[in-house]
Amino acid sequence: MNIDNEYVQILKESEEYEKIRYKESMKERDALLKRLSDGLDKETISELQK
């Protein structure tokens, strides 16, 4: 493999890693938002019940 091909391969692997990492971070963000909204809903319900 010459240097250009190695460089292109590294770029492709890096891009693929970034795509995977982005998807994982979006899943984490969505999970945190859901937990937050669930918690806020519970707090709101408990406030309304007082």
Side-chain angles (χ1 to χ4, degrees):
M1 214 187 257
N2 67 26
I3 291 177
D4 289 338
N5 286 343
E6 289 178 22
Y7 181 70
V8 168
Q9 185 62 33
I10 290 169
L11 285 177
K12 286 180 182 177
E13 290 171 3
S14 176
E15 186 176 310
E16 196 59 35
Y17 172 79
E18 288 298 320
K19 287 179 187 175
I20 292 168
R21 184 65 199 121
Y22 178 77
K23 286 179 187 175
E24 289 174 356
S25 67
M26 287 296 104
K27 286 179 188 175
E28 292 168 5
R29 183 188 67 99
D30 291 346
L32 286 172
L33 287 174
K34 182 172 177 5
R35 285 179 54 203
L36 179 62
S37 67
D38 288 349
L40 289 175
D41 290 345
K42 288 176 187 169
E43 286 180 24
T44 303
I45 291 169
S46 67
E47 286 295 317
L48 291 173
Q49 289 175 342
K50 286 183 181 178

